[in-house]
Amino acid sequence: MEIVYVYVKKRSEFGKQCNFSDRQAELNIDIPPNPELAEQFVERNPVDTGIQCSTSMSEHEANTERFEMETRGVNHIEGGWPKDVNPLELEQTIRFRKKVEKDENYINAIMQLGSIMEHCIKQNNAIDIYQEYFDDEDAVEVTDEAPSAKTINVFRDPQEIKRPATHVSWHPDGNRKLAVAYSCLNFQRAPEGMSNESYIWDLENPNRPEITLKPSSPLVTLEYNPKDSHVLLAGCYNGQIACWDTRKGSLVAELSTIEFSHRDPVYGTIWLQSKTGTECFSASTDGQVMWWDIRKLSEPTEVVIMDITKKEHLENALGAISLEFESTLPTKFMVGTEQGVVISCNRKGKTPAEKIVCTFSGHHGPIYALQRNPFYPKNFLTVGDWTARIWSEDSRESSIMWTKYHMAYLTDAAWSPVRPAVFFTTKMDGTLDIWDFVFKQCDPALSLKQVCDEALFCLRVQDNGCFIACGSQLGTTTLLEVSNGLCTLQRNEKNTASSIFERETRREKILEARHREMRLKEKGKAEGRDDELRDEPPILNLEELVTKAEEEFFDIIFTELKRKEAEAMKKQPKPPKQPSQETDEEVQGEEEAEEERGDGEGEEGGGEESPALGGQP
C-alpha cells in the first residue's frame, strides 16, 4: 500500500528565505554602444507577449523509507561458574559456594553491596509507587460511547496462490504475535503448486511473517501452548498432529504417525490444563477424539468415539468439527458435530454410556464454533447454519437464546473475555457482527460490513478483549480494535447477564414441561382411538353409502337453484313513479330506460329454464 500525502503551499512559505541588505553600487563591466549593431536592429510593431495572471506554484513529493523491525532471540545460560564445576550438579555447586564464602574478598563485596541494597529498600519503603489514590471511586461507565471498531492492520498471505485462513491463535505472553494456519478445505480441489506453509506474524510488521512453519500437510488448526509460548500444536489436513518449537526453527519438532492419527482433517486441537503442560487433545470428522502427549506423539493416550448410540461403533460416529474445553471443568469437554448436534462428554467415564453424557440438537448444519461463556461456564455459544445460539446445560431440548436467521451463512463465533454479555460472529458475506444482548437482543450492537471483500472464515479475540483477528477466504487476516465500551466491564453487567441466563433457562424449562404434557396427551388419545378401532370392527353397507352420497349431491343442486332464484328476484324492475310533477322529457327518458331494461331482462330470463321464472321478463 503506497502512502502519499500532497502538501500545497506557496513557494514563499517554505524553504530558505532570501536575506537582502543595502550596499553601494558597483560597476562590474561597461559595454559601450556599437553603431554597427544598431544598423541590424529591426523594429517590431506590434509586439505580442503572454502574461500569466495566477501565481506560480510548484509541487514537491517526499516519501520516507519504512522502518523495518527484526526480532532476534538470545539464549541466556547460567554463567559465572569455573570450567571444572558443572552448574547442573547440586553437590559441586554447594561445594564451590562454601569455598567462595570463606574468601575475604567475598565478605567485603557482600558488605559493600549490602549497604547499596539497604538504601534501595529504605527508599522503596518511603515511597509506594503502586499506591492507589482513588480506591473508593466506582468504575467509570463508558456506555454513552457509541459502539465502534477500526482496522489496525492487515496481514496478507505472501503466497501467489491464495489459501483460506482457517485458524488464528494469539501469543500467550503480551499478545504481540499472531499464528495463522492456512489450508484449502475443498476436498481434491486444491490448485496445483499450492504451498503448505503457515506463518507467525508480528503485529508491528505486516510486510513479512516473522516465522514460517513448514509442515508436510496444510495446517487446519494452530494453537499456542499457554505455558510455553515457544511451543505450538497443529492439526494437519491429512489427520496428523504436529508440534513446533520456534527455538528449533521452521521444521516440525514432533509428528504423529499416520497409522495412529485421524483419518480426516483435524478441525479442533486444544491444550489441556496439566502439570507438565504437554497434554492436548484433538477432534476430526472421522468421529474420533484423541488425547496426546507431545513428548510422545507416536500414538494417542486415549480415544473416544463420538457414537451417540453409546456402542462405540466408528461407522455410526458423528464427525467432530469443533471442540470446547474449560480448565475449571477438567473432566468435561464438548464436541460440535457435522450433523448439528453438540455432544457433552465426560473424560473420566469408563463405559461408552458414561463417556457420552448428553446431546443438544438445534442446528441444521455443521457446528463451526462452540465456546463456553468465560464467566458462566454452564452456558455456551454455538454457531451453525444461519444462526448463533446460546445454550444452558440445564435445558437440553432447545437453546435458551438465539439470533435471527441471517441471509448469509455464519462461519465462526467467540465470547468476549472481559464482558459476559458480548460475543462476536463472522459471516460468509464478509461481515463481523458484535452482539450485546444486555443492550439489544434482536439485532447486533455493531455490524461491520465488508471487513474484507471475501468471506470471513475464522475469528479470535485477544485476552483483553480490545483486538479481534479475522481470517478470510483469500488468506487475509484483518486486525480490528473495538471501542472502550465493548471491552470494558459495565456496572452490574455480571448480575444482569446472570439474571438473563437464569430467566431464559426457566422459561425454556416451563415450555419443555408443557410440550411434554401435550405430547403425552396426544399419545394417550392416539392409543385410545386405536383401542376403539380394534374393539369395534368396521361394518360397511354399500347401499347406505350410495344413498347418502345421492342425498348430499341433490342437496347441493337444490341449494344452488335457490341461490340463482333469489338473484333473479332481485333483478326484477321496480314499479314506475307517478309522472305528476315530472316534465315530459323526464317521463320520456324514464320510459325509454325501462324499455331497454325490460328487453335485457327478457333476454336474460328467456335463456334460463328455471320453473320459478317461467321464461317471462
Side-chain angles (χ1 to χ4, degrees), residues 411-475:
T411 54
D412 203 356
W415 287 103
S416 170
V418 293
R419 290 194 56 188
V422 174
F423 63 93
F424 309 88
T425 59
T426 55
K427 295 191 289 188
M428 288 291 286
D429 59 358
T431 303
L432 171 67
D433 289 336
I434 304 176
W435 296 80
D436 184 355
F437 58 79
V438 171
F439 172 66
K440 190 191 296 185
Q441 296 185 7
C442 299
D443 298 304
L446 178 64
S447 183
L448 300 174
K449 297 181 179 179
Q450 300 298 329
V451 173
C452 56
D453 296 332
E454 61 271 8
L456 295 177
F457 270 22
C458 59
L459 163 74
R460 203 65 178 267
V461 187
Q462 199 184 31
D463 291 340
N464 57 13
C466 295
F467 296 98
I468 308 168
C470 303
S472 72
Q473 188 176 8
L474 297 181

Side-chain angles (χ1 to χ4, degrees), residues 50-94:
I51 298 174
Q52 180 66 275
C53 299
S54 60
T55 58
S56 300
M57 302 177 70
S58 61
E59 180 180 355
H60 296 265
E61 295 181 0
N63 192 12
T64 59
E65 294 185 1
R66 182 176 180 84
F67 174 70
E68 294 187 1
M69 293 184 61
E70 184 176 355
T71 305
R72 294 187 178 181
V74 178
N75 190 11
H76 174 72
I77 300 175
E78 185 179 358
W81 300 95
K83 293 183 179 180
D84 56 343
V85 176
N86 185 5
L88 301 179
E89 291 291 337
L90 185 61
E91 294 181 359
Q92 294 184 19
T93 55
I94 292 173

Side-chain angles (χ1 to χ4, degrees), residues 564-582:
K564 289 184 178 181
E565 181 181 350
E567 290 179 357
M569 292 295 291
K570 289 180 182 179
K571 292 179 181 179
Q572 285 185 357
K574 297 180 180 179
K577 295 181 180 179
Q578 297 296 329
S580 58
Q581 299 177 353
E582 297 178 352

Side-chain angles (χ1 to χ4, degrees), residues 518-544:
M518 293 172 65
R519 285 197 297 268
L520 290 174
K521 287 181 180 179
E522 291 177 359
K523 186 176 180 181
K525 289 180 181 178
E527 290 177 353
R529 280 194 223 102
D530 294 341
D531 295 339
E532 289 177 2
L533 291 174
R534 285 194 215 98
D535 297 340
E536 298 179 3
I539 301 173
L540 297 176
N541 191 343
L542 187 59
E543 294 180 358
E544 291 182 0

Side-chain angles (χ1 to χ4, degrees), residues 381-420:
L381 172 70
T382 60
V383 155
D385 52 67
W386 301 270
T387 60
R389 295 177 178 269
I390 299 175
W391 304 75
S392 173
E393 289 185 343
D394 298 335
S395 177
R396 299 180 181 180
E397 293 190 9
S398 64
S399 54
I400 60 173
M401 298 174 69
W402 55 87
T403 66
K404 63 182 180 181
Y405 278 82
H406 298 276
M407 297 300 294
Y409 213 82
L410 270 66
T411 54
D412 203 356
W415 287 103
S416 170
V418 293
R419 290 194 56 188

Side-chain angles (χ1 to χ4, degrees), residues 285-416:
T285 49
D286 62 356
Q288 298 181 91
V289 177
M290 297 183 178
W291 274 260
W292 307 85
D293 192 327
I294 61 172
R295 295 173 297 183
K296 185 184 177 182
L297 280 179
S298 57
E299 58 180 315
T301 58
E302 187 181 351
V303 178
V304 176
I305 298 175
M306 294 293 104
D307 182 7
I308 57 176
T309 61
K310 302 180 180 180
K311 297 179 180 179
E312 285 199 331
H313 292 167
L314 190 58
E315 59 271 13
N316 298 331
L318 304 182
I321 205 167
S322 57
L323 266 179
E324 167 57 27
F325 173 75
E326 175 62 37
S327 57
T328 58
L329 305 171
T331 61
K332 291 184 178 181
F333 68 95
M334 304 184 79
V335 179
T337 63
E338 286 183 305
Q339 291 75 15
V341 179
V342 178
I343 304 175
S344 178
C345 305
N346 184 7
R347 186 187 174 189
K348 298 300 182 181
K350 297 180 180 180
T351 62
E354 293 176 355
K355 290 180 179 179
I356 296 179
V357 179
C358 62
T359 59
F360 303 86
S361 302
H363 285 288
H364 308 298
I367 297 176
Y368 290 113
L370 172 62
Q371 187 183 10
R372 290 184 184 271
N373 189 297
F375 295 87
Y376 305 103
K378 186 172 62 174
N379 303 101
F380 56 94
L381 172 70
T382 60
V383 155
D385 52 67
W386 301 270
T387 60
R389 295 177 178 269
I390 299 175
W391 304 75
S392 173
E393 289 185 343
D394 298 335
S395 177
R396 299 180 181 180
E397 293 190 9
S398 64
S399 54
I400 60 173
M401 298 174 69
W402 55 87
T403 66
K404 63 182 180 181
Y405 278 82
H406 298 276
M407 297 300 294
Y409 213 82
L410 270 66
T411 54
D412 203 356
W415 287 103
S416 170

